[in-house]
Amino acid sequence: MDSKQYNFIIKRRILRAIQKLPQSVQNKFNVLLHDLADKGPVQPHWPNFSKLAHNKYHCHLGYGWVACWEQTGNNFIIEVYYVGRRE
């Protein structure tokens, strides 16, 4: 576990998309953010967690919902680039 706290980049369009999700999915996303901030981008205990590409990851927030993020150039910055339906 890292001793440093990770910071986030979440663009406005992603924040608007999150507000449209069911409340239970929003709650799970908030828990995911806390885990990402505390433990970093690799979250193997989350459902269907996998590495998508170099420094890009995803996990399921529910049966039909997914969150995707990447660790940017700065080692302690995580950008959430998609939260929504699994398609």
Side-chain angles (χ1 to χ4, degrees):
M1 188 181 323
D2 293 321
S3 61
K4 289 196 174 188
Q5 183 87 6
Y6 285 78
N7 294 308
F8 296 97
I9 297 170
I10 304 175
K11 295 187 176 171
R12 246 182 293 209
R13 68 178 173 81
I14 301 299
L15 291 173
R16 284 192 300 266
I18 292 166
Q19 292 175 346
K20 295 177 184 177
L21 298 175
Q23 189 62 50
S24 62
V25 177
Q26 290 182 42
N27 294 344
K28 287 182 184 178
F29 178 72
N30 287 330
V31 172
L32 174 64
L33 284 182
H34 286 287
D35 284 351
L36 290 170
D38 292 341
K39 301 171 190 158
V42 179
Q43 297 291 323
H45 65 281
W46 276 84
N48 296 87
F49 169 81
S50 67
K51 186 171 185 172
L52 300 174
H54 180 68
N55 290 338
K56 290 189 175 190
Y57 308 90
H58 97 297
C59 74
H60 290 188
L61 300 173
Y63 177 75
W65 306 97
V66 68
C68 302
W69 62 93
E70 70 177 313
Q71 186 172 8
T72 62
N74 179 328
N75 287 337
F76 293 98
I77 302 283
I78 296 172
E79 180 175 354
V80 177
Y81 64 89
Y82 180 76
V83 178
R85 286 242 174 239
R86 194 167 50 112
E87 295 172 346

